[in-house]
Amino acid sequence: MKKLPKLYKNEINKNINNNKNYCYLKNEVAIDSIEEKLNSIFNGIGYSYNIPVTIKTHDKIYKTSLVSKTKNNLITLDNEVIKLEDIISLDIN
């Protein structure tokens, strides 16, 4: 076999501290109104039906995912229509 030439190896003369100093910032904003939570679900990354939510109304508590939003209603994955004016609280699980 033929003998190959040696590779060049650069000498490292400085101190390397990769990944020892880092900063992690999370931009979390408190969402107050139901309308802002709905906008974050429908305009966020991913599909809205993959985000589990708990919706509390005057009559019932729904644990489901949202499919669509109209001007006055929400449509869930279980084919239930919820009026926006009846919603007391909305929590993203």
Side-chain angles (χ1 to χ4, degrees), residues 3-89:
K3 194 169 188 180
L4 297 175
K6 294 183 179 181
L7 295 175
Y8 173 73
K9 297 177 186 174
N10 189 15
E11 293 181 17
I12 300 173
N13 296 329
K14 60 183 178 178
N15 189 11
I16 299 174
N17 291 323
N18 291 345
N19 295 330
K20 288 188 179 178
N21 297 325
Y22 61 91
C23 182
Y24 181 74
L25 299 175
K26 189 171 183 182
N27 206 3
E28 238 181 76
V29 178
I31 301 173
D32 293 332
S33 73
I34 295 171
E35 198 66 35
E36 289 176 356
K37 287 182 183 180
L38 290 174
N39 286 336
S40 70
I41 290 171
F42 287 109
N43 296 333
I45 297 174
Y47 298 109
S48 62
Y49 55 82
N50 287 335
I51 301 171
V53 295
T54 303
I55 301 171
K56 184 177 179 183
T57 62
H58 298 291
D59 303 328
K60 190 175 176 183
I61 296 176
Y62 301 92
K63 291 187 179 181
T64 184
S65 296
L66 301 176
V67 175
S68 179
K69 175 188 164 202
T70 61
K71 191 173 183 180
N72 298 323
N73 298 324
L74 286 175
I75 301 172
T76 67
L77 199 60
D78 304 325
N79 277 341
E80 296 181 9
V81 178
I82 304 170
K83 291 185 179 182
L84 289 175
E85 59 193 32
D86 292 342
I87 296 176
I88 297 172
S89 69

